[in-house]
Amino acid sequence: MKTYRIATIPGDGIGKEVIPAGRQVLEVLAQTEATFALEFENFEWGGDHYRRTGAMMPEDGLDALRGKDAILFGSAGDPEIPDHITLWGLRLKICQGFDQYANVRPTRILPGIDAPLKRCEPEDLNWVIVRENSEGEYSGVGGRAHQGQPIEVATDLSLMTRAGVERIMRFAFSQARSRPRHLLTVITKSNAQRHAMVMWDEIAVQISKEFPDVSWDKELVDAATARMVNRPASLDTIVATNLHADILSDLAAALAGSLGIAPTGNIDPERRYPSMFEPIHGSAFDIMGKGLANPVGTFWSVVMLLEHLGEFAAASRLMRAVEAVTADSSLHTRDLGGSATTAQVTQAVCAFLAGNAARKAIRTEVVA
């Protein structure tokens, strides 16, 4: 039996609620699957760690994670700490430190969810957004001078390398090839950004020749937002830069019903380092500790984690459980227009995985 070593990093805000829920679901899966076992190690890094030590994670934190098979991450963000400190001090430190250069964000309308696109059939919105996750607009290159003075200047440079663009394009074309429609849309802004984005376009053309079975087109990022709303069925796999995909994937999640249901994987495709899986909803301090957080985004991220580990049967079981729960409107959390709690949704998913008898018992508890 294979034993997987999983690191859990709840981080900040509602991450402290949804990551324990994700671990609970994983433990139920491991108990009901004969093919694998799990070992967990929890790391209490984030805003509280910063207040104690002046850093979001220890200097040698990457070494503590290096031997893990996967990482389940909650969120980074604290109203008392500037966002650039929380992001660069924890999430990006792990993503860049482990060269998790492919950020993968599936989006579709789950059963029972009332999505905003009323003219859209659920099957029309079924996308995978591939986000370049290591350079581009989030390279961290830039600086400030003469702070507080009338002549103050600040710069942020978008840095793209041929190696970085080639590998994310090749990954995106491979993702498109693995999906039924064999369709890729490359997002660009080369009409205004006439150097790096022109190189991005040129490399897309180059890499496309390696994938003659994949149909692809190019879309300006601003036009892509309208296309996602007006012609969702025209899209399938999407690849974009770090910033562009960050924005488009939040729009995608909202169009599918809620940021609370959206997952993501920060992937090292070469598997040199552990990959990291997380919901995209952020720390949401306004609902922290109230039991209102939607754990579905975390559960879907766990599905991606299991698929990455090669445990496809367990991943499929968990996705069926998630779909069964979202199909029941009485188990919708507040972001989906319901009143169910984080614990109730978690219990319902665990009960579905455990079997019919347990599911009936938990369902009675939720209704009560």
Side-chain angles (χ1 to χ4, degrees):
M1 178 184 292
K2 174 71 173 179
T3 298
Y4 297 108
R5 295 163 295 176
I6 308 298
T8 55
I9 308 174
D12 302 317
I14 61 172
K16 297 178 181 179
E17 299 168 62
V18 296
I19 295 307
R23 174 172 174 168
Q24 184 178 344
V25 164
L26 272 169
E27 288 173 336
V28 172
L29 269 172
Q31 291 167 5
T32 55
E33 291 280 339
T35 58
F36 66 90
L38 300 169
E39 292 180 358
F40 293 95
E41 185 173 359
N42 193 56
F43 296 88
E44 296 291 344
W45 300 339
D48 291 340
H49 191 274
Y50 181 86
R51 278 182 278 273
R52 292 193 304 269
T53 68
M56 292 290 289
M57 63 182 284
E59 187 174 343
D60 60 353
L62 292 179
D63 291 333
L65 299 174
R66 200 176 303 275
K68 305 301 182 185
D69 294 295
I71 303 164
L72 186 60
F73 182 82
S75 61
D78 188 302
E80 298 179 356
I81 305 170
D83 287 343
H84 67 279
I85 291 177
T86 58
L87 183 65
W88 282 93
L90 185 55
R91 185 185 175 276
L92 288 184
K93 186 172 183 179
I94 296 170
C95 289
Q96 296 192 352
F98 286 152
D99 201 19
Q100 297 165 346
Y101 67 83
N103 180 273
V104 180
R105 297 189 170 188
T107 305
R108 60 185 174 90
I109 300 174
L110 296 176
I113 290 181
D114 184 21
L117 292 182
K118 303 305 180 187
R119 295 174 297 163
C120 172
E121 298 296 329
E123 60 270 18
D124 290 344
L125 200 165
N126 187 341
W127 306 328
V128 170
I129 297 178
V130 176
R131 170 185 176 185
E132 200 293 313
N133 207 37
S134 65
E135 49 182 41
E137 303 88 348
Y138 296 170
S139 299
V141 179
R144 294 175 66 181
H146 311 295
Q147 291 189 42
Q149 303 299 317
I151 59 171
E152 181 173 358
V153 59
T155 61
D156 276 297
L157 302 182
S158 176
L159 177 67
M160 294 189 191
T161 65
R162 172 165 287 275
V165 177
E166 284 185 357
R167 68 183 184 177
I168 199 63
M169 285 293 177
R170 193 167 281 115
F171 181 86
F173 273 94
S174 296
Q175 285 285 301
R177 172 184 276 171
S178 72
R179 288 168 59 80
R181 296 177 66 188
H182 289 206
L183 176 64
L184 176 67
T185 297
V186 176
I187 304 299
T188 187
K189 193 57 181 170
S190 51
N191 61 337
Q193 295 174 288
R194 59 197 180 107
H195 301 298
M197 291 306 304
V198 170
M199 183 182 78
W200 171 272
D201 292 352
E202 292 171 352
I203 292 174
V205 173
Q206 169 197 324
I207 299 300
S208 71
K209 296 174 182 177
E210 301 175 17
F211 298 86
D213 55 332
V214 174
S215 300
W216 73 285
D217 64 355
K218 185 173 70 172
E219 190 75 82
L220 295 175
V221 63
D222 43 336
T225 61
R227 182 172 167 183
M228 291 168 74
V229 174
N230 295 327
R231 295 188 294 127
S234 72
L235 297 164
D236 187 81
T237 306
I238 301 165
V239 62
T241 69
N242 217 328
L243 175 62
H244 292 165
D246 190 7
I247 296 168
L248 292 179
S249 58
D250 274 19
L251 172 60
L255 293 175
S258 171
L259 264 66
I261 64 174
T264 190
N266 303 286
I267 309 296
D268 167 28
E270 284 73 42
R271 298 177 182 264
R272 300 157 295 172
Y273 309 105
S275 292
M276 182 165 70
F277 303 85
E278 58 177 321
I280 74 169
H281 52 54
S283 55
F285 261 78
D286 57 322
I287 61 170
M288 178 184 177
K290 299 179 181 179
L292 300 176
N294 191 339
V296 167
T298 298
F299 300 156
W300 199 347
S301 298
V302 169
V303 170
M304 297 181 70
L305 183 155
L306 290 165
E307 290 173 340
H308 184 73
L309 295 177
E311 297 294 341
F312 297 104
S316 180
R317 281 186 61 214
L318 177 53
M319 199 68 221
R320 288 197 300 272
V322 169
E323 292 173 341
V325 168
T326 62
D328 184 345
S329 61
S330 73
L331 291 169
H332 286 185
T333 45
R334 190 177 72 173
D335 58 305
L336 295 174
S339 58
T341 66
T342 310
Q344 288 172 335
V345 176
T346 303
Q347 289 171 343
V349 170
C350 289
F352 187 96
L353 294 171
N356 287 331
R359 179 151 75 257
K360 290 177 181 177
I362 295 297
R363 187 71 187 90
T364 300
E365 179 183 338
V366 171
V367 172

